[in-house]
Amino acid sequence: MIALRLLAGCELTLRRLRANWALPFATLVAMTTLVGIWAGLPLYAEAASKRLLAAEVEGSAAERVPFGYLFSYNRLSGGPKPWENLSPVDRFLFGDDAPFGSTVRASSRLIETQQFQLVRPVGNSGDDAEPIARFSLTSTGVFDDAVEIVSGRAAVASTSSLTNGIEVVLEQSIADELGLRAGERLSLVNPRAAADDPVRVFDVTLTGTWALTDQTEGASSPPEGRFARVPTVRNSLVVPEATMLQVIDPGIADAVANAQWLVLLEASSVGIGEVDRLVARTSQINRTVDELVPGTRLLASPEVPLRRYQQRVVSLERGLAAYSLPLLVLVLAVVALLIGSAVSTRRPELALLRSRGVSAQQVVVVGAFEALVLALIAALLGLLLARYVARLIGTTETFLRFGSDISLDLAFTPRVLQAAAIAGVVLVFLQVTPLIAASRPTRVETARSRGALRAPWWQRSYIDLAIIVLVGFFTWWAIGKDALTGDLLDDPVVILLPAANAVAAGLVVLRVFPVAMGILAKAAERSSATSLLLASRQTARVRGATAAPVLLLVVTGSLAIYTGSLARTLDLQVLDAAHHRVGAAKVLDDNGIVSFASWRIVDGSPRPPAQPATNRYATTAELSRVWGLESSSRLAKTPASLELPGGDTAGLGFIGIDPASFNGLAFWRDDYASASLATLMARLAATPDGVLAPSRVLRQQGLSIGDEITIRLSGESRTSTFRAVIVGEFEQFPTWYPATDLAPLVGDLSDAEARVGPLGERLLLVETNDDIRDQSQYRVDLDRLGVSTDGPASPETLVQTAQERPERQGVFGLLTLSFLVSAACSIFGFVFYAIRGFRRQVTELGVLRALGLKSRGLLSMVGFDLLFVALTGLVVAVGVGVAMSRWLLPRLISTPSGSAPALLEEIDWLAALTITTGLFAALLVVGTLLLARLRRLELFRAIKLGATQ
Amino acid sequence: MTSPVIECRQLVQIYRVESSEIMALQGLDLTVDRGEMLGIVGASGSGKSTLLTVLSGLLQPTGGRVRVDGHDLNSFSKRELDRYRQRDLGFIWQETGRNLVPYLSAIDNVALPLRLAGQAKGRSRAREILDMVGLGDRMDHRPNALSGGEQQRVALAVALAHQPVLLLADEPTGELDTDATAEMFALMRTIGNESGVSQVIVSHDRDLTSFVDRVVMIRDGRVATEQRQGVSTSSHRAIAPQTTTVLLVDGVGRLQLPPEHAEALGITDRVQADLVGDAIEIRRADPPAKYDPSATEKQGTDD
């Protein structure tokens, strides 16, 4: 019977979904969006994490710490041993049942004997021979892949006795130093062997010399070649592993002095969820190895990179979770709104079923089935959407700008699936909860509750006022703290606080809105504008109905503008910081032209001069002849000091520039100085010995523009003290970092060079022809003038480096997503309100039409209603969004002390325009649709339809 | 003699609206026999619909006792009330659109409560009952494709599909034209006769009297008068031929005078009742004499 009941419920659900698909479809879209964002974040975080781990592993290679295990047995801890005594460790680490719990990429062992004396071939005792050097014999598995044979050939493995001799190879430079050549036959003497030991002396053939391949020397070398780089191997006679195990170890007692085992793991297969397990396994492996061969030590393990990786991932995920909170809450609110509306639509049907004896539980079970079906579909579609969300975040270059390439490996890991499942459960809960309430009333209770137009419960219980006060307090507390100067992810209050403020603003509006509408209605009573009167009365009366759209409009609109402003501000900051650091769009190192004439030839070889060369720097005329160079401006820095009254000095820097060309090329912002750059440059050019000074130096020294100061300037070759006039002041100057640099005076470079010769650090700000076809000619010309084209990193490179950081990419991706979703929610909320409002008003419209109100009047009434909501929402949203961007943003986030340039808040007017345009477009579309509907709607039907709503 | 299907004793129902109270039922007594078709008439706000709501178990009466099919509804838990509505009760409401689930066809509407009650053969029973109400050829149509009368017949089929002991109908013809109304009442009469289901029908329609066994008029929350089919004697104006109106006396001996009688005799708030043989004579009572202190003094002086 229960099965039959369930089946009936399921059938009812499916029929209803088929018949009334619009609202469930909208709900499904919103729910899919929610799951998409919910699951998309861990999907992105996991993929970004893998990139982080790869970065960690690459970093490890450079630091010579592999992502894997390195165990070492040293004779100092347990004395030399035969290989047999060490083989338990070997079998444990390299056996089929590898204990590592992750894919092993490569493994290798290193076996080193005690030292022998290398001598020229002698008799059996070898005592009378003069040792060439002391060497151990070493074998390592991956040797051949990591080195190249420079002369001769590789050693061949020996399988016979030691007395027959063995083949070895030696590192090239050591061979050269010792004067050994490939093919030479030598002897090794074991000083610890007894005199009558047949292998006290045995022959070795140096078959070749080796050197590390270029690849193995580089930072990006594969860690497998690590053993080839260790000093042990470079200072040994290297033998094939078979020779070591089959000839040397059996032939010499306690042959092995040192042994190392390297196991490299595959980093790409390690998920963040496996870190703890792998770290725990490290301890276990270490204990086992120590038990098998006491004294074996763990030199390197994946623990450090794994822990660092885990820390970054946790930080990334926490930050993203916090940043996504407003977005998720927003989408949740939309989902709740739609579900509430769907349940409200179903109330009559539920009440009918209840009145026919269907129990509340049965109603809920049937509703739960529908919830389950929708949540399941949303979860599945959401997972697909999650890929797009993760891709969108992963391709975000900056706010609302995406790259085409994504270097993220997006995989539906258990954590992502778990996130989707949790989102699904939340959605079921969200759908069933209002249903539980709606399942209780019967027809009688439903009819009785209809028409109640009270304020929402949270207003009646003053919860909104409590929220407003709380948000106010936290805002006051947060802006009292130091503004955020570090990583955005470290302090999500940057997004959470404005979100809370947006909600608070929305709640204030909801209190004021009905009052304002009431006042408007009173005013309209005195006029002949019937539609205006009716609309304002209606809007003032139905508080609950307008609450959701107004709140949604205010919150989403203001949040969209704020997130846009935040993103643009941060974006601009990155761009400005890069340009400030570099000084211009393109900067080259001016190394100067070295005077080769001063070099001498001694014994046929060039030798540097006894005295240092005096460099000459390219002149403006010479630079103007460089192929493809449109314009250039020189900039040089040197130490200086300001002589103060009383004989004291204040340490300063000096930046020399070409005033004539600096203006067109240097990076400059209006907040750098109160006067324009052109004005400052003109003053510099017009005043001999004029300098610009930082405002704070002027304040500290009690100086002002027009004052004369005494400067001591140090050039490359000499110093000079002279009087200068302050012709202007600045707050910030390109390339100057108050945190690390002394405050600089800025003066004419030519004047300075005339006084003290060339200045030390020289840069060339350049502008090139965009269409330089012959790059080589450009380089040759510049090289000839001593200008390096491999100069400081370009602003674009710095920006790109900053933009590629997963943390920043994640934040900007989320901000972009938040903006897009917020804007969409604003418009959706409005359209939703318009349609629902129309359905709610349809009876009233019918009655008004019957009373003689013309179609145009009806339309005006509906239009006014929509306009009140749209305008209120829009005006408040833009006002709050701009206020938060202007007032909160600079208080929540600022440049680190001493960093430059200062953060400039950028209001995202485009966001405001987008929302305004979108809303008015929606207003137009909805208005047209409603007009068409009104025209089609017959009077009796309007009233009848209203009666059955 | 079988026990009545409905027994209401001293039913009181008070609604709270804002800060005031409305007494919808004021000690109503009513008995309905098994298989009887009872009509209830009365002015708006007299308590007709409230009575039906109480009888359907959708509303717990403020006071009094109500028994349906021998069960005391007051003692039912919510679960038992659900079961009562699902098994023992059929209900038709006035608004045609509100009796049916709009997105289901006629047959699905009828089958739904049966299937939700766990009956496997709900669909065949639905077909059977739709045939009975004359909608065999319209059973696959949705409510919006049916006329008002057809919708109400589907609602009747829904209400009768599970073979309830009692059918309650609140203005079932309120949205129907004269022909459809007559058709509906005739159908209900026929089904009542065939199935033996007891029916309580609230209606404003004067035609109702000719289809039901008995009509009671509710006034001010109490049953005031009763008209029975086939009683030929009439002490005052008959509503319809072959019927007579009797005044009902409640459990504590109260009765309500027909307003036209009271008006004709100028009765306001007092009557004088005298037992005359096997009848009670009711006549207007003189208003009490005003208290006159001088008269009292005079009387004292006289003593």
Side-chain angles (χ1 to χ4, degrees), chain A residues 11 15-16 349 362 450, chain B residues 82 98 103 108 115-116:
Chain A
E11 194 184 328
R15 280 172 187 272
R16 200 170 57 73
E349 173 198 329
Q362 213 172 344
R450 210 181 304 148
Chain B
D82 282 341
R98 294 212 171 199
Y103 52 83
D108 289 329
R115 301 192 65 188
L116 286 173

Side-chain angles (χ1 to χ4, degrees), chain B residues 105-115 119-140 153-154 156-163:
Chain B
S105 64
I107 189 167
D108 289 329
N109 260 296
V110 179
L112 179 66
L114 299 175
R115 301 192 65 188
Q119 290 186 28
K121 294 182 178 174
R123 210 167 164 81
S124 58
R125 168 69 183 153
R127 193 170 288 118
E128 188 184 309
I129 195 84
L130 280 170
D131 274 335
M132 193 191 291
V133 298
L135 289 173
D137 57 337
R138 308 277 285 163
M139 60 177 71
D140 292 323
R153 277 193 276 156
V154 176
L156 179 63
V158 173
L160 292 171
H162 56 292
Q163 295 171 309

Side-chain angles (χ1 to χ4, degrees), chain A residues 768-834:
Chain A
T768 54
N769 187 335
D770 289 339
D771 189 26
I772 303 178
R773 294 216 173 106
D774 191 356
Q775 280 277 349
S776 59
Q777 183 61 50
Y778 166 72
R779 286 172 184 276
V780 166
D781 283 1
L782 285 172
D783 278 348
R784 193 168 44 78
L785 296 172
V787 178
S788 169
T789 48
D790 305 321
S794 69
E796 287 78 14
T797 313
L798 293 175
V799 168
Q800 192 183 351
T801 308
Q803 285 176 348
E804 279 177 353
R805 286 178 53 235
E807 292 88 344
R808 186 185 188 278
Q809 198 176 46
V811 168
F812 272 74
L814 265 179
L815 291 178
T816 301
L817 200 63
S818 298
F819 170 77
L820 294 175
V821 174
S822 298
C825 284
S826 297
I827 294 163
F828 166 78
F830 174 72
V831 172
F832 184 75
Y833 168 74

Side-chain angles (χ1 to χ4, degrees), chain A residues 806-891:
Chain A
E807 292 88 344
R808 186 185 188 278
Q809 198 176 46
V811 168
F812 272 74
L814 265 179
L815 291 178
T816 301
L817 200 63
S818 298
F819 170 77
L820 294 175
V821 174
S822 298
C825 284
S826 297
I827 294 163
F828 166 78
F830 174 72
V831 172
F832 184 75
Y833 168 74
I835 293 169
R836 296 284 298 168
F838 180 76
R839 294 187 67 176
R840 194 185 61 242
Q841 282 178 278
V842 80
T843 315
E844 187 182 340
L845 294 175
V847 172
L848 289 170
R849 184 82 181 87
L851 289 174
L853 193 66
K854 290 179 181 172
S855 292
R856 191 182 295 170
L858 289 183
L859 188 69
S860 302
M861 183 185 155
V862 175
F864 274 128
D865 182 27
L866 297 181
L867 205 64
F868 292 152
V869 172
L871 266 183
T872 307
L874 195 66
V875 168
V876 176
V878 172
V880 172
V882 169
M884 289 196 305
S885 307
R886 180 81 76 200
W887 187 75
L888 262 185
L889 186 55
R891 284 168 174 78

Side-chain angles (χ1 to χ4, degrees), chain B residues 42-73:
Chain B
S44 286
S46 58
K48 311 183 295 288
S49 295
T50 301
L51 173 63
L52 246 59
T53 312
V54 169
L55 288 174
S56 64
L58 294 172
L59 200 62
Q60 195 79 2
T62 314
R65 199 181 55 150
V66 55
R67 292 178 74 85
V68 176
D69 197 23
H71 303 297
D72 183 358
L73 293 193

Side-chain angles (χ1 to χ4, degrees), chain A residues 1 4-5 7-9 11-12 15-16 19-20 349 352-362 442-444 448 450 944 947-949, chain B residues 15 53 58-59 79 82-83 85-86 91 93 95 98-101 103-104 108 112-113 115-120 123 142 155 158-159 175:
Chain A
M1 187 184 272
L4 275 171
R5 285 179 173 182
L7 198 65
E11 194 184 328
L12 179 71
R15 280 172 187 272
R16 200 170 57 73
N20 303 329
E349 173 198 329
L352 176 66
L353 291 176
R354 288 282 290 116
S355 301
R356 293 220 184 277
V358 178
S359 67
Q361 290 89 334
Q362 213 172 344
T442 57
R443 234 176 143 272
V444 175
R448 218 182 288 163
R450 210 181 304 148
K944 198 173 173 67
T948 54
Q949 287 299 305
Chain B
Y15 292 121
T53 312
L58 294 172
L59 200 62
R79 184 183 289 264
D82 282 341
R83 201 176 298 136
R85 284 196 295 270
Q86 197 168 47
F91 212 120
W93 289 278
E95 302 99 323
R98 294 212 171 199
N99 281 305
L100 306 173
V101 179
Y103 52 83
L104 294 182
D108 289 329
L112 179 66
R115 301 192 65 188
L116 286 173
Q119 290 186 28
R123 210 167 164 81
R142 287 191 186 173
V158 173
E175 295 184 356

Side-chain angles (χ1 to χ4, degrees), chain A residues 425-449:
Chain A
V425 171
V426 169
L427 288 175
V428 171
F429 178 76
L430 270 180
Q431 291 176 87
V432 172
T433 307
L435 205 62
I436 292 172
S439 70
R440 298 197 183 286
T442 57
R443 234 176 143 272
V444 175
E445 290 147 327
T446 305
R448 218 182 288 163
S449 65

